[in-house]
Amino acid sequence: MSASPPTGGPTLAIVGATGAVGTVMRSIVSERTDVWGELVLVASARSAGRKLPVRGRDVVVRELTADVFDNVDLAMFDVPDEVSAAWAPVAAARGVVVIDKSGAFRMDPQVPLVVPEVNPEAAHVRPKGIISVPNCTTLALILAVAALHRAFGLREMVAASYQAASGAGQAGTDALYDQLSKVAGNRSLGQRPGDIRAFAGDGGPFGAPLALNVVPWAGSLRDAGWSSEELKIRSETRKILGMPDLKVAATCVRVPVVIGHSIALHAVFESEVTRADAQRVLRAAPGVTLIDEPERGEYPTPADVAGTDATWVGRVRQSLDNPRAIDLFVSADNLRKGAALNAAQIAELLVPELAGS
Protein backbone atom coordinates (compact mmCIF):
# COMPACT_ATOMS: atom_id res chain seq x y z
CA MET A 1 0.00 0.00 0.00
CA SER A 2 1.40 3.41 -0.96
CA ALA A 3 2.23 5.76 1.86
CA SER A 4 0.35 8.98 2.47
CA PRO A 5 2.24 11.59 4.49
CA PRO A 6 0.65 13.02 7.65
CA THR A 7 -1.10 16.38 7.32
CA GLY A 8 0.47 17.97 10.39
CA GLY A 9 -2.77 17.91 12.35
CA PRO A 10 -3.24 16.44 15.84
CA THR A 11 -2.01 12.92 16.52
CA LEU A 12 -4.81 10.35 16.76
CA ALA A 13 -4.69 6.94 18.44
CA ILE A 14 -7.27 4.21 17.83
CA VAL A 15 -7.28 1.84 20.80
CA GLY A 16 -8.87 -1.49 19.89
CA ALA A 17 -7.95 -1.04 16.23
CA THR A 18 -8.28 -4.74 15.37
CA GLY A 19 -11.84 -5.21 16.71
CA ALA A 20 -15.13 -5.01 14.78
CA VAL A 21 -15.76 -1.34 15.58
CA GLY A 22 -12.05 -0.54 15.38
CA THR A 23 -12.05 -1.90 11.83
CA VAL A 24 -14.99 0.34 10.95
CA MET A 25 -13.22 3.23 12.67
CA ARG A 26 -10.15 2.78 10.46
CA SER A 27 -12.42 2.80 7.44
CA ILE A 28 -14.25 5.94 8.57
CA VAL A 29 -11.02 7.80 9.33
CA SER A 30 -9.83 6.86 5.85
CA GLU A 31 -13.06 7.97 4.14
CA ARG A 32 -13.60 11.32 5.85
CA THR A 33 -11.70 14.58 5.42
CA ASP A 34 -8.14 14.04 6.63
CA VAL A 35 -7.66 16.32 9.64
CA TRP A 36 -5.10 14.17 11.45
CA GLY A 37 -1.34 14.07 11.58
CA GLU A 38 0.24 10.88 12.88
CA LEU A 39 -2.03 7.88 13.33
CA VAL A 40 -1.31 5.36 16.09
CA LEU A 41 -3.03 1.97 16.10
CA VAL A 42 -3.19 0.21 19.46
CA ALA A 43 -4.40 -3.24 20.50
CA SER A 44 -3.58 -6.08 22.87
CA ALA A 45 -0.18 -7.72 23.02
CA ARG A 46 -1.27 -10.59 20.78
CA SER A 47 -2.08 -8.16 17.95
CA ALA A 48 1.02 -5.98 18.34
CA GLY A 49 3.25 -6.00 15.29
CA ARG A 50 0.49 -6.55 12.76
CA LYS A 51 0.18 -4.08 9.90
CA LEU A 52 -3.26 -2.67 9.20
CA PRO A 53 -4.37 -0.40 6.37
CA VAL A 54 -5.62 3.06 7.28
CA ARG A 55 -5.72 6.35 5.38
CA GLY A 56 -3.81 4.99 2.40
CA ARG A 57 -0.91 3.36 4.20
CA ASP A 58 -0.03 0.39 6.38
CA VAL A 59 0.45 1.17 10.07
CA VAL A 60 2.06 -1.18 12.59
CA VAL A 61 -0.16 -1.99 15.58
CA ARG A 62 1.38 -1.13 18.94
CA GLU A 63 0.73 -2.84 22.27
CA LEU A 64 -1.46 -1.04 24.79
CA THR A 65 0.97 0.42 27.34
CA ALA A 66 1.23 3.79 29.08
CA ASP A 67 4.05 4.88 26.78
CA VAL A 68 1.93 4.42 23.67
CA PHE A 69 0.12 7.65 24.57
CA ASP A 70 3.24 9.80 24.50
CA ASN A 71 2.75 12.67 22.01
CA VAL A 72 -0.85 11.57 21.29
CA ASP A 73 -3.45 14.37 21.27
CA LEU A 74 -6.65 12.33 21.10
CA ALA A 75 -7.43 8.63 21.55
CA MET A 76 -10.59 6.81 20.53
CA PHE A 77 -11.17 3.72 22.67
CA ASP A 78 -13.19 0.73 21.50
CA VAL A 79 -12.36 -1.94 24.06
CA PRO A 80 -14.28 -3.82 26.79
CA ASP A 81 -15.52 -1.84 29.79
CA GLU A 82 -12.87 -3.15 32.13
CA VAL A 83 -10.05 -2.23 29.72
CA SER A 84 -11.40 1.30 29.28
CA ALA A 85 -11.87 1.69 33.02
CA ALA A 86 -8.20 0.83 33.54
CA TRP A 87 -6.56 2.59 30.59
CA ALA A 88 -8.66 5.65 29.69
CA PRO A 89 -7.57 7.45 32.91
CA VAL A 90 -3.96 6.55 32.13
CA ALA A 91 -4.23 8.23 28.73
CA ALA A 92 -6.07 11.24 30.16
CA ALA A 93 -3.42 11.68 32.85
CA ARG A 94 -0.86 12.07 30.04
CA GLY A 95 -2.86 14.93 28.53
CA VAL A 96 -4.70 12.87 25.91
CA VAL A 97 -8.36 13.64 25.20
CA VAL A 98 -10.12 10.26 25.40
CA ILE A 99 -13.28 9.39 23.47
CA ASP A 100 -14.54 6.15 24.94
CA LYS A 101 -17.07 3.81 23.29
CA SER A 102 -17.47 1.48 26.28
CA GLY A 103 -20.02 1.76 29.05
CA ALA A 104 -17.37 2.42 31.71
CA PHE A 105 -17.96 6.19 32.02
CA ARG A 106 -21.36 6.93 30.45
CA MET A 107 -23.12 7.65 33.73
CA ASP A 108 -20.20 9.39 35.41
CA PRO A 109 -21.42 12.96 36.10
CA GLN A 110 -17.95 14.29 35.28
CA VAL A 111 -17.86 12.62 31.86
CA PRO A 112 -19.99 14.15 29.08
CA LEU A 113 -22.10 11.81 26.95
CA VAL A 114 -21.92 13.38 23.51
CA VAL A 115 -23.80 13.20 20.23
CA PRO A 116 -22.46 16.00 17.99
CA GLU A 117 -25.81 16.70 16.30
CA VAL A 118 -27.53 17.01 19.70
CA ASN A 119 -25.19 18.35 22.41
CA PRO A 120 -21.83 19.31 20.82
CA GLU A 121 -21.10 21.90 23.50
CA ALA A 122 -20.81 19.11 26.10
CA ALA A 123 -17.61 17.85 24.44
CA HIS A 124 -15.69 20.92 25.56
CA VAL A 125 -16.37 20.43 29.30
CA ARG A 126 -14.60 17.25 30.41
CA PRO A 127 -13.21 17.41 33.97
CA LYS A 128 -11.66 13.94 33.66
CA GLY A 129 -10.37 14.41 30.13
CA ILE A 130 -12.79 11.71 28.93
CA ILE A 131 -15.81 11.92 26.62
CA SER A 132 -18.22 9.00 26.45
CA VAL A 133 -20.09 7.68 23.41
CA PRO A 134 -23.66 6.42 23.95
CA ASN A 135 -24.74 2.84 23.46
CA CYS A 136 -25.48 1.83 19.86
CA THR A 137 -29.22 1.46 20.50
CA THR A 138 -29.48 4.91 22.06
CA LEU A 139 -27.57 6.34 19.10
CA ALA A 140 -30.02 4.73 16.68
CA LEU A 141 -32.92 6.74 18.10
CA ILE A 142 -31.49 9.89 19.67
CA LEU A 143 -31.16 12.07 16.55
CA ALA A 144 -34.85 11.68 15.73
CA VAL A 145 -35.95 12.02 19.35
CA ALA A 146 -33.82 15.11 19.96
CA ALA A 147 -35.13 16.88 16.85
CA LEU A 148 -38.73 16.22 17.84
CA HIS A 149 -38.00 17.24 21.44
CA ARG A 150 -36.61 20.61 20.35
CA ALA A 151 -39.74 21.28 18.31
CA PHE A 152 -42.49 19.91 20.52
CA GLY A 153 -41.14 19.23 24.04
CA LEU A 154 -40.73 15.52 24.82
CA ARG A 155 -42.58 14.23 27.90
CA GLU A 156 -42.21 10.45 27.69
CA MET A 157 -41.32 7.65 25.31
CA VAL A 158 -41.76 3.91 24.92
CA ALA A 159 -39.22 2.06 22.76
CA ALA A 160 -39.08 -1.50 21.43
CA SER A 161 -35.74 -2.33 19.83
CA TYR A 162 -34.92 -4.84 17.10
CA GLN A 163 -31.18 -5.33 17.59
CA ALA A 164 -28.72 -6.90 15.16
CA ALA A 165 -26.49 -9.84 16.04
CA SER A 166 -23.38 -7.70 15.54
CA GLY A 167 -24.39 -5.73 18.63
CA ALA A 168 -23.06 -8.72 20.57
CA GLY A 169 -19.67 -8.35 18.87
CA GLN A 170 -17.99 -10.65 16.38
CA ALA A 171 -19.16 -13.63 18.42
CA GLY A 172 -22.75 -12.56 17.78
CA THR A 173 -22.26 -12.23 14.05
CA ASP A 174 -20.47 -15.59 13.84
CA ALA A 175 -23.17 -17.29 15.92
CA LEU A 176 -25.95 -16.05 13.66
CA TYR A 177 -24.18 -17.17 10.48
CA ASP A 178 -23.42 -20.58 12.06
CA GLN A 179 -27.04 -21.04 13.11
CA LEU A 180 -28.35 -20.01 9.70
CA SER A 181 -26.09 -22.55 8.02
CA LYS A 182 -27.47 -25.29 10.28
CA VAL A 183 -31.15 -24.54 9.60
CA ALA A 184 -30.91 -23.50 5.95
CA GLY A 185 -33.15 -25.47 3.63
CA ASN A 186 -34.98 -27.38 6.37
CA ARG A 187 -38.59 -26.37 5.80
CA SER A 188 -39.89 -28.46 8.68
CA LEU A 189 -38.30 -26.22 11.31
CA GLY A 190 -40.19 -23.68 13.36
CA GLN A 191 -43.38 -25.71 13.60
CA ARG A 192 -42.83 -27.62 16.86
CA PRO A 193 -41.51 -26.63 20.29
CA GLY A 194 -37.73 -26.84 20.50
CA ASP A 195 -37.09 -28.03 16.95
CA ILE A 196 -35.00 -24.98 15.98
CA ARG A 197 -32.96 -25.29 19.16
CA ALA A 198 -32.23 -28.95 18.32
CA PHE A 199 -30.70 -27.90 14.99
CA ALA A 200 -29.23 -24.49 15.80
CA GLY A 201 -27.85 -25.22 19.27
CA ASP A 202 -28.23 -23.34 22.54
CA GLY A 203 -28.04 -19.87 20.99
CA GLY A 204 -24.49 -18.95 21.94
CA PRO A 205 -24.29 -15.31 23.07
CA PHE A 206 -28.05 -14.84 22.66
CA GLY A 207 -29.25 -17.43 25.17
CA ALA A 208 -31.64 -18.91 22.58
CA PRO A 209 -31.41 -19.59 18.84
CA LEU A 210 -31.59 -16.42 16.76
CA ALA A 211 -31.99 -18.09 13.37
CA LEU A 212 -35.72 -18.28 12.47
CA ASN A 213 -36.41 -16.64 15.83
CA VAL A 214 -36.33 -13.46 17.87
CA VAL A 215 -34.97 -13.29 21.41
CA PRO A 216 -36.59 -10.76 23.81
CA TRP A 217 -33.36 -10.10 25.65
CA ALA A 218 -30.19 -8.08 25.14
CA GLY A 219 -27.61 -7.24 27.76
CA SER A 220 -27.27 -8.49 31.32
CA LEU A 221 -29.81 -8.89 34.10
CA ARG A 222 -30.66 -5.91 36.29
CA ASP A 223 -33.18 -5.44 39.12
CA ALA A 224 -36.85 -6.35 38.68
CA GLY A 225 -36.32 -8.18 35.38
CA TRP A 226 -34.93 -5.27 33.38
CA SER A 227 -31.90 -5.75 31.13
CA SER A 228 -28.86 -3.51 31.03
CA GLU A 229 -29.62 -2.57 27.41
CA GLU A 230 -33.10 -1.40 28.35
CA LEU A 231 -31.82 0.71 31.22
CA LYS A 232 -29.12 2.23 29.00
CA ILE A 233 -31.75 3.61 26.64
CA ARG A 234 -33.49 5.21 29.62
CA SER A 235 -30.47 6.64 31.43
CA GLU A 236 -28.51 7.72 28.36
CA THR A 237 -31.45 9.48 26.69
CA ARG A 238 -32.07 11.37 29.91
CA LYS A 239 -28.43 12.45 30.19
CA ILE A 240 -28.00 13.49 26.54
CA LEU A 241 -31.20 15.55 26.53
CA GLY A 242 -30.59 16.95 30.03
CA MET A 243 -33.93 15.56 31.23
CA PRO A 244 -33.26 13.54 34.41
CA ASP A 245 -36.96 12.89 35.03
CA LEU A 246 -37.95 11.87 31.49
CA LYS A 247 -40.30 8.88 31.50
CA VAL A 248 -38.77 6.09 29.39
CA ALA A 249 -39.69 2.43 29.02
CA ALA A 250 -37.81 0.09 26.69
CA THR A 251 -37.94 -3.55 25.63
CA CYS A 252 -34.84 -4.83 23.79
CA VAL A 253 -35.11 -7.71 21.32
CA ARG A 254 -32.45 -9.51 19.25
CA VAL A 255 -33.46 -10.27 15.68
CA PRO A 256 -31.73 -12.36 12.97
CA VAL A 257 -30.10 -9.33 11.30
CA VAL A 258 -26.33 -8.97 10.89
CA ILE A 259 -26.01 -5.16 10.95
CA GLY A 260 -28.61 -2.51 11.75
CA HIS A 261 -30.46 -1.73 14.98
CA SER A 262 -34.08 -0.63 14.63
CA ILE A 263 -36.52 0.85 17.14
CA ALA A 264 -40.29 1.22 17.16
CA LEU A 265 -40.86 4.40 19.13
CA HIS A 266 -43.93 5.93 20.80
CA ALA A 267 -43.19 9.48 21.97
CA VAL A 268 -45.51 11.84 23.84
CA PHE A 269 -44.99 15.62 23.66
CA GLU A 270 -46.18 18.76 25.42
CA SER A 271 -48.08 19.99 22.39
CA GLU A 272 -50.15 18.44 19.63
CA VAL A 273 -48.07 16.96 16.80
CA THR A 274 -49.50 16.01 13.45
CA ARG A 275 -47.84 13.55 11.12
CA ALA A 276 -46.98 16.41 8.76
CA ASP A 277 -45.45 18.41 11.64
CA ALA A 278 -43.23 15.50 12.67
CA GLN A 279 -42.21 14.76 9.08
CA ARG A 280 -41.23 18.40 8.52
CA VAL A 281 -38.99 18.41 11.60
CA LEU A 282 -37.41 15.05 10.82
CA ARG A 283 -36.76 15.99 7.21
CA ALA A 284 -34.68 18.96 8.38
CA ALA A 285 -32.91 17.20 11.27
CA PRO A 286 -29.10 16.83 10.97
CA GLY A 287 -28.04 13.23 10.39
CA VAL A 288 -31.61 12.04 9.78
CA THR A 289 -32.99 10.72 6.48
CA LEU A 290 -36.77 10.47 6.27
CA ILE A 291 -38.16 7.70 4.05
CA ASP A 292 -41.86 7.53 4.79
CA GLU A 293 -44.11 6.52 1.93
CA PRO A 294 -45.71 3.25 3.06
CA GLU A 295 -48.24 3.50 0.24
CA ARG A 296 -45.28 2.86 -2.08
CA GLY A 297 -43.64 0.33 0.22
CA GLU A 298 -40.93 2.82 1.22
CA TYR A 299 -39.70 2.73 4.82
CA PRO A 300 -36.34 1.96 6.43
CA THR A 301 -35.15 -1.60 7.02
CA PRO A 302 -31.80 -2.84 8.37
CA ALA A 303 -31.02 -4.50 5.05
CA ASP A 304 -31.18 -1.09 3.36
CA VAL A 305 -29.29 0.99 5.92
CA ALA A 306 -26.28 -1.24 6.65
CA GLY A 307 -23.10 0.57 5.64
CA THR A 308 -24.71 4.03 5.70
CA ASP A 309 -24.15 6.91 8.12
CA ALA A 310 -27.65 8.35 8.54
CA THR A 311 -30.37 7.61 11.03
CA TRP A 312 -33.25 6.48 8.83
CA VAL A 313 -36.82 7.24 9.94
CA GLY A 314 -40.17 6.10 8.57
CA ARG A 315 -43.67 4.89 9.48
CA VAL A 316 -44.40 8.28 11.08
CA ARG A 317 -47.95 8.40 12.47
CA GLN A 318 -49.94 10.55 14.86
CA SER A 319 -51.29 8.37 17.64
CA LEU A 320 -54.92 7.37 17.18
CA ASP A 321 -55.57 7.90 20.88
CA ASN A 322 -53.44 10.92 21.75
CA PRO A 323 -52.91 13.93 19.43
CA ARG A 324 -49.74 14.79 21.38
CA ALA A 325 -48.11 11.44 20.56
CA ILE A 326 -46.17 10.24 17.53
CA ASP A 327 -45.27 6.67 16.54
CA LEU A 328 -42.35 6.02 14.21
CA PHE A 329 -39.73 3.46 13.15
CA VAL A 330 -35.99 4.15 13.18
CA SER A 331 -33.12 2.13 11.73
CA ALA A 332 -29.34 2.77 11.76
CA ASP A 333 -26.06 0.92 11.22
CA ASN A 334 -25.01 0.00 14.76
CA LEU A 335 -21.32 -0.22 13.83
CA ARG A 336 -21.16 3.18 12.11
CA LYS A 337 -23.38 5.88 13.65
CA GLY A 338 -23.99 3.47 16.51
CA ALA A 339 -20.29 3.40 17.38
CA ALA A 340 -17.37 4.44 15.18
CA LEU A 341 -18.92 7.36 13.29
CA ASN A 342 -20.18 9.14 16.40
CA ALA A 343 -16.72 8.88 17.97
CA ALA A 344 -15.09 10.21 14.78
CA GLN A 345 -17.52 13.12 14.66
CA ILE A 346 -16.69 14.04 18.27
CA ALA A 347 -12.98 13.84 17.48
CA GLU A 348 -13.35 16.11 14.45
CA LEU A 349 -15.32 18.57 16.58
CA LEU A 350 -12.28 18.91 18.84
CA VAL A 351 -9.61 19.34 16.14
CA PRO A 352 -9.59 23.18 16.26
CA GLU A 353 -9.24 23.06 20.04
CA LEU A 354 -6.41 20.51 19.87
CA ALA A 355 -4.62 22.33 17.09
CA GLY A 356 -4.61 25.50 19.18
CA SER A 357 -3.37 23.87 22.40
Side-chain angles (χ1 to χ4, degrees), residues 62-332:
R62 298 175 60 183
E63 181 181 354
L64 178 56
T65 65
D67 292 344
V68 83
F69 298 109
D70 289 347
N71 301 314
V72 168
D73 296 297
L74 185 144
M76 295 189 286
F77 276 61
D78 182 63
V79 290
D81 289 10
E82 63 275 13
V83 179
S84 279
W87 285 99
V90 172
R94 290 182 171 235
V96 178
V97 176
V98 174
I99 300 174
D100 181 45
K101 179 62 187 73
S102 82
F105 302 99
R106 288 179 186 144
M107 290 300 104
D108 186 325
Q110 292 188 295
V111 176
L113 188 63
V114 177
V115 181
E117 297 92 338
V118 179
N119 61 341
E121 68 287 344
H124 300 286
V125 183
R126 41 182 192 273
K128 292 187 175 181
I130 301 170
I131 300 168
S132 200
V133 175
N135 176 265
C136 51
T137 316
T138 304
L139 278 167
L141 64 83
I142 196 65
L143 298 191
V145 167
L148 293 170
H149 168 56
R150 285 191 292 266
F152 309 112
L154 182 65
R155 290 185 57 184
E156 59 186 84
M157 70 179 205
V158 179
S161 73
Y162 305 83
Q163 295 182 217
S166 57
Q170 189 61 47
T173 300
D174 291 343
L176 176 58
Y177 279 128
D178 289 345
Q179 292 172 24
L180 289 171
S181 67
K182 292 176 182 177
V183 303
N186 190 333
R187 298 194 179 192
S188 68
L189 293 177
Q191 302 179 51
R192 292 176 299 280
D195 61 353
I196 295 175
R197 192 181 294 270
F199 274 80
D202 63 4
F206 311 115
L210 195 57
L212 304 181
N213 199 19
V214 299
V215 181
W217 187 262
S220 54
L221 181 64
R222 295 294 186 264
D223 291 344
W226 292 96
S227 80
S228 58
E229 286 281 309
E230 292 158 351
L231 296 182
K232 286 175 187 176
I233 293 175
R234 175 184 173 87
S235 59
E236 292 175 15
T237 299
R238 287 175 158 190
K239 184 173 180 178
I240 295 164
L241 297 182
M243 302 177 70
D245 298 319
L246 178 67
K247 296 179 180 178
V248 180
T251 300
C252 290
V253 182
R254 282 288 178 210
V255 295
V257 167
V258 178
I259 293 175
H261 285 359
S262 302
I263 300 100
L265 187 69
H266 175 81
V268 181
F269 300 92
E270 294 174 357
S271 57
E272 182 172 336
V273 188
T274 67
R275 182 190 184 206
D277 289 336
Q279 288 175 322
R280 170 179 51 80
V281 169
L282 292 166
R283 194 174 288 115
V288 172
T289 298
L290 182 69
I291 175 168
D292 189 27
E293 297 185 67
E295 66 278 8
R296 299 174 56 186
E298 295 185 1
Y299 31 71
T301 75
D304 298 316
V305 310
T308 68
D309 290 342
T311 292
W312 298 77
V313 183
R315 297 301 325 281
V316 180
R317 293 147 286 154
Q318 185 185 52
S319 170
L320 296 176
D321 301 308
N322 183 352
R324 294 182 293 107
I326 287 290
D327 292 275
L328 51 84
F329 188 80
V330 181
S331 194

